[in-house]
Amino acid sequence: MDLAAGQDADILAPEAGTIIFAGEVAGKSVVSIRHGPKENLTSTFEPAVTHLHPGDRVERGTAWGSVHGHSDHCDDGCLHWGLRTKDREYVNPMSKLGRHRIALKPV
């Protein structure tokens, strides 16, 4: 899932978890966080950087890093959020967000 985000925007943890990877993959900055009591889901964000290290915990809603680097598909204006199971099957992150009421506010 691609989220609109500019360079240096804070990235918030969608759920509590543990940083399991922070580094480069194919020339892109990537951070992965393992979630859940059974550690059955892994979120991957790119382009993303963090000052945290593998093994560090993050809590839901806390800023753990920022958008930094380039994306190969959205002209440096997005953050890609991937989600996979422990069996390495990809899942749509939207399926885990629950229902939200969206209201447009006048400008």
Side-chain angles (χ1 to χ4, degrees):
M1 175 168 59
D2 291 331
L3 306 169
Q7 287 290 307
D8 301 319
D10 285 344
I11 306 172
L12 306 181
E15 189 60 59
T18 303
I19 302 284
I20 60 166
F21 179 82
E24 292 223 352
V25 175
K28 293 182 270 185
S29 300
V30 175
V31 177
S32 296
I33 302 172
R34 185 144 307 136
H35 309 284
K38 297 180 182 177
E39 298 186 333
N40 57 349
L41 291 174
T42 299
S43 289
T44 300
F45 301 89
E46 63 96 347
V49 295
T50 184
H51 64 282
L52 300 174
H53 304 283
D56 289 348
R57 293 272 309 157
V58 295
E59 295 304 319
R60 181 179 185 197
T62 60
W64 55 262
S66 62
V67 176
H68 188 77
H70 72 281
S71 171
D72 58 3
H73 60 279
C74 58
D75 299 327
D76 297 330
C78 76
L79 171 69
H80 179 78
W81 176 22
L83 187 64
R84 67 178 193 260
T85 66
K86 64 181 174 185
D87 298 325
R88 296 186 170 260
E89 292 184 29
Y90 284 92
V91 177
N92 180 351
M94 289 292 290
S95 70
K96 302 298 181 186
L97 294 178
R99 294 182 59 146
H100 297 277
R101 182 174 175 197
I102 299 173
L104 300 176
K105 296 184 177 184
V107 251

